[in-house]
Amino acid sequence: MKIAISIAALAAALVASPVLAQQALTTQQPTAAEAESFLTKAEKALFDQSLISSRAAWINATYITDDTDALASYFGAIDTTMRVDYALEAAKFATAPGLTEETKRRLTLLRTALTLPAPTTPGASQELNDLATKLQSTYGKGKGTLNGQPINGSDIEEKMGTDRNPDELKEMWVSWHDNVGAPMRGDYAKLVTIANQGAKELGFADTGAMWRSKYDMPADDFAKLTDKIWAEVKPLYDDLHCYTRTKLNEKYGDAVQAKTGPIRADLLGNMWAQEWGNIYDIVAPAGAGDLGYDITDLLTAKNYDAIKMVKTGEGFYSSLGFAPLPQTFWDRSQIVKPRDREVICHASAWDLDNKDDIRIKMCTKVNGDDFVTIHHELGHNYYQRAYNIQKPLYLDGANDGFHEAIGDFIALSITPDYLVKIGLLDPAKVPGTDKDLGLLLRQAMDKVAFLPFGLLIDKWRWGVFDGSIPESKYESTWTDLRRQYQGIVPPVSRDETKFDAGAKFHIPGNTPYTRYFLARVLQFQFYEAACRQSGWKGPLHRCSFYGNKAVGEKLDAMLKMGASKPWPDALQAFTGSREMSGKALVNYFAPLQTWLKTQNKGKSCGW
């Protein structure tokens, strides 16, 4: 889920004459004092002027019209121009002698803070932002069909999780990808060209290389780190894929899902096959598979509405010792979908003033998925509020994977023990240890199934940005990567008139996606550490640290660091380790993997 606004991600400034990147420095060789003076001036301008751009973006996301599109594009162009100017200026100061390590770090953060850098060519910023705004709005207004009738984005997502008619699933999948993705193709290619020109002016090979340079290590080393993590978790994914394919074959038959090869993408309970938990009823093991409760049913039985769901999420953080959300959160958030206008329903968390005007934007439905999403999105908000004491360039997570992992690891604590403590689950209905495999499988259908998807989104984009995936192969390479990493294929053949990548919000929304892959790994490292700190003695997957203020105190200390230190320092502060690794995730699911291997004996696994 996207963090929509932070000073590092949307460093805005509305000034009549932005700092010109090409202006001459006061001396032939810039000095450390001049670098510090420049940073102080740049940070203040970015901080002071971010509010208007943040508000324009909020209005556009929650009230999509031609006018709000124009406003968002206008302010976005100003923001992009200024951020490019400051980034280019920061590059000049980077070679100044006598720079402190902190000054070097702030210059690096300023230079890499852009997501879409525009070149200094006249009109390029406006064109880039016009394209970015158009792409995002096209997605927000997109519709698919079901039985020939239009169905909007949030409704079609929900329906993909509950429908078990393969023909209807195919119709929804194809219509969404055709109607939403395909029309974006040409505009996306134009956006890539412009952004790459901007990245090269900043000294990067391409936009993807710039994105990979934000992780306190060389860009190529970061790519190698993600491959290393994938190698650690891939055997577990392969086992889950094999088992799931067998169950889908048993459910639908050979004509719909073959016993061997890849899985048909529309059968996995999610428009993008990125999480498979919605088809748990199909894969649940006999006996152990019936968990004895369903969160959606529990919420309905207790008459929860969207507001109460958010209040419950707030209650988890309060139990750890965090202060309540401000009243402005409740006054200004979009918690349910308005009836009178088009909005972007994709859940996101916002910080509009880099202080305490924190909000969420959701089209909340009373179900288990959104209950988990709320806990996740609030993690962004509490992180944003914790680090508001930092310098402007440090108003962000230790890395973007951290920002996603905070709420995710809190959501891992939505265990039977937690549900009992908040009064949702009857203590008499807590599943026994004989249900552990079911509990683990249900988690794996989301957490493990997501891993290759979380990796391939940016692998595709990195290839698009560096030119190894030309426009003529956008669709075929996307399909190939999904088969290679996920082991899935579209329900119908696709050609180069399509643009299936655009049917996923984060592509037209231009949100780097590796953060979500990192978050899937980091959340288990955080969770394992929190459970250890809380003294939990039972099975790890049943641990809940709800109400443990000692865990909250240590967590708050890490959150307050923001981006002020390299991410290994922040990781070590909470977990004791400086290494991102998939080992904690594999340990969490170890009992399940043993069971999966037994279930898969005699099967032809792989694809």
Side-chain angles (χ1 to χ4, degrees):
M1 305 301 173
K2 178 183 172 188
I3 324 160
I5 298 294
S6 71
I7 190 68
L10 183 57
L14 179 59
V15 293
S17 178
V19 176
L20 296 177
Q22 278 70 33
Q23 69 185 25
L25 295 178
T26 56
T27 62
Q28 186 74 21
Q29 174 68 54
T31 67
E34 288 172 335
E36 191 61 40
S37 177
F38 159 72
L39 280 170
T40 299
K41 183 189 302 182
E43 286 186 315
K44 185 176 188 303
L46 295 172
F47 185 93
D48 289 348
Q49 299 298 330
S50 65
L51 181 58
I52 187 66
S53 296
S54 301
R55 285 181 169 168
W58 172 265
I59 292 169
N60 184 229
T62 59
Y63 204 133
I64 302 173
T65 67
D66 291 342
D67 292 329
T68 63
D69 279 356
L71 286 170
S73 182
Y74 172 78
F75 287 111
I78 294 172
D79 298 344
T80 300
T81 298
M82 184 155 223
R83 282 180 283 155
V84 169
D85 287 341
Y86 280 140
L88 287 165
E89 197 76 1
K92 291 184 179 182
F93 285 106
T95 58
L99 296 176
T100 67
E101 288 304 312
E102 183 180 4
T103 298
K104 290 179 183 178
R105 180 176 174 76
R106 288 162 67 201
L107 287 169
T108 298
L109 289 171
L110 188 55
R111 183 168 166 255
T112 61
L114 297 143
T115 299
L116 290 179
T120 53
T121 308
S125 288
Q126 188 64 57
E127 184 180 5
L128 184 65
N129 280 278
D130 285 347
L131 288 166
T133 300
K134 181 181 177 183
L135 288 166
Q136 182 163 291
S137 292
T138 297
Y139 185 93
K141 294 183 283 191
K143 290 179 172 61
T145 66
L146 176 58
N147 296 318
Q149 299 301 308
I151 180 171
N152 67 37
S154 60
D155 290 341
I156 203 170
E157 284 187 45
E158 182 180 43
K159 195 67 177 174
M160 286 290 291
T162 57
D163 200 316
R164 297 294 181 260
N165 181 318
D167 292 331
E168 292 180 353
L169 291 169
K170 180 191 293 186
E171 179 195 354
M172 287 189 285
W173 192 100
V174 172
S175 64
W176 179 259
H177 285 78
D178 285 358
N179 296 349
V180 178
M184 299 177 182
R185 184 182 173 113
D187 285 335
Y188 190 79
K190 292 177 187 175
L191 178 141
V192 168
T193 299
I194 297 171
N196 272 344
Q197 291 169 355
K200 287 173 182 175
E201 287 191 16
L202 291 173
F204 299 101
D206 57 75
T207 306
M210 186 186 76
W211 288 6
R212 296 192 301 277
S213 297
K214 300 179 180 183
Y215 293 94
D216 297 300
M217 61 176 64
D220 289 345
D221 288 353
F222 177 70
K224 291 174 184 176
L225 174 60
T226 61
D227 288 338
K228 171 184 169 290
I229 294 170
W230 171 237
E232 290 174 336
V233 299
K234 184 179 185 298
L236 174 58
Y237 177 82
D238 290 349
D239 291 335
L240 182 66
H241 180 282
C242 189
Y243 173 79
T244 302
R245 183 181 59 200
T246 297
K247 291 298 184 180
L248 288 170
N249 172 260
E250 293 173 358
K251 168 73 173 177
Y252 293 114
D254 293 344
V256 174
Q257 176 58 58
K259 292 184 176 71
T260 60
I263 296 173
R264 208 176 97 173
D266 57 325
L267 302 179
L268 288 161
N270 177 273
M271 181 62 76
W272 309 278
Q274 69 180 64
E275 292 175 329
W276 306 347
N278 286 328
I279 63 161
Y280 179 73
D281 59 296
I282 295 175
V283 304
D290 180 9
L291 304 183
Y293 71 92
D294 176 86
I295 294 179
T296 300
D297 293 342
L298 296 177
L299 294 169
T300 302
K302 295 289 186 178
N303 295 316
Y304 269 62
D305 59 16
I307 299 296
K308 189 172 182 180
M309 288 168 66
V310 179
K311 289 282 188 183
T312 302
E314 177 191 35
F316 193 109
Y317 293 88
S318 295
S319 82
L320 300 180
F322 289 92
L325 294 166
Q327 183 58 41
T328 52
F329 173 91
W330 304 103
D331 295 340
R332 300 171 183 174
S333 289
Q334 176 191 291
I335 294 175
V336 297
K337 186 180 188 300
R339 297 180 179 181
D340 62 342
R341 60 187 187 266
E342 297 283 1
V343 301
I344 295 174
C345 277
H346 183 85
S348 54
W350 296 62
D351 177 8
L352 272 74
D353 66 355
N354 304 300
K355 185 179 179 183
D356 56 15
D357 189 356
I358 49 179
R359 314 177 188 181
I360 60 170
K361 175 185 62 58
M362 292 182 62
C363 297
T364 310
K365 296 181 182 295
V366 180
N367 60 40
D369 283 350
D370 280 4
F371 188 68
V372 171
T373 297
I374 285 165
H375 285 71
H376 169 95
E377 295 301 337
L378 291 180
H380 291 308
N381 286 151
Y382 282 95
Y383 204 170
Q384 289 160 341
R385 189 168 65 176
Y387 58 55
N388 67 16
I389 58 173
Q390 295 292 345
K391 294 178 180 179
L393 285 172
Y394 296 155
L395 295 173
D396 209 344
N399 66 41
D400 52 10
F402 273 65
H403 231 307
E404 296 300 329
I406 296 305
D408 278 348
F409 106 88
I410 294 293
L412 280 176
S413 202
I414 301 177
T415 61
D417 179 67
Y418 167 58
L419 296 175
V420 168
K421 287 179 178 176
I422 62 174
L424 262 180
L425 180 62
D426 185 333
K429 294 184 179 179
V430 172
T433 56
D434 61 319
K435 306 293 188 182
D436 278 6
L437 285 174
L439 289 166
L440 284 168
L441 179 59
R442 179 61 183 83
Q443 280 279 40
M445 293 293 284
D446 284 342
K447 302 295 185 180
V448 178
F450 177 85
L451 292 167
F453 185 79
L455 188 64
L456 73 86
I457 293 282
D458 279 351
K459 280 196 173 288
W460 180 82
R461 270 194 294 209
W462 295 345
V464 168
F465 285 131
D466 70 20
S468 61
I469 302 175
E471 184 182 356
S472 61
K473 294 185 177 179
Y474 276 3
E475 184 65 19
S476 62
T477 309
W478 173 263
T479 301
D480 289 347
L481 283 171
R482 297 201 74 184
R483 181 171 185 141
Q484 176 186 346
Y485 283 94
Q486 287 184 282
I488 68 164
V489 289
V492 298
S493 62
R494 313 297 283 164
D495 60 36
E496 290 300 335
T497 65
K498 309 304 181 187
F499 186 56
D500 289 350
K504 173 63 180 168
F505 171 80
H506 299 75
I507 300 295
N510 293 296
T511 305
Y513 209 77
T514 307
R515 64 184 60 174
Y516 303 104
F517 174 75
L518 298 179
R520 281 299 197 272
V521 172
L522 285 167
Q523 67 185 266
F524 286 93
Q525 290 187 260
F526 293 155
Y527 181 73
E528 189 175 61
C531 292
R532 182 174 63 248
Q533 294 163 21
S534 70
W536 180 264
K537 301 300 182 183
L540 183 59
H541 62 276
R542 284 179 176 258
C543 165
S544 176
F545 45 87
Y546 175 79
N548 192 300
K549 289 183 170 52
V551 170
E553 184 176 352
K554 196 161 187 177
L555 174 61
D556 187 48
M558 179 180 73
L559 300 185
K560 284 179 177 175
M561 293 171 68
S564 65
K565 301 290 183 184
W567 64 258
D569 292 354
L571 183 64
Q572 185 175 32
F574 189 66
T575 70
S577 172
R578 298 179 63 81
E579 179 186 4
M580 275 194 288
S581 168
K583 293 175 183 176
L585 181 150
V586 173
N587 290 340
Y588 180 97
F589 290 108
L592 175 67
Q593 187 170 18
T594 299
W595 180 84
L596 287 172
K597 288 184 180 298
T598 300
Q599 300 301 307
N600 292 336
K601 279 184 179 178
K603 303 291 192 304
S604 178
C605 293
W607 55 86

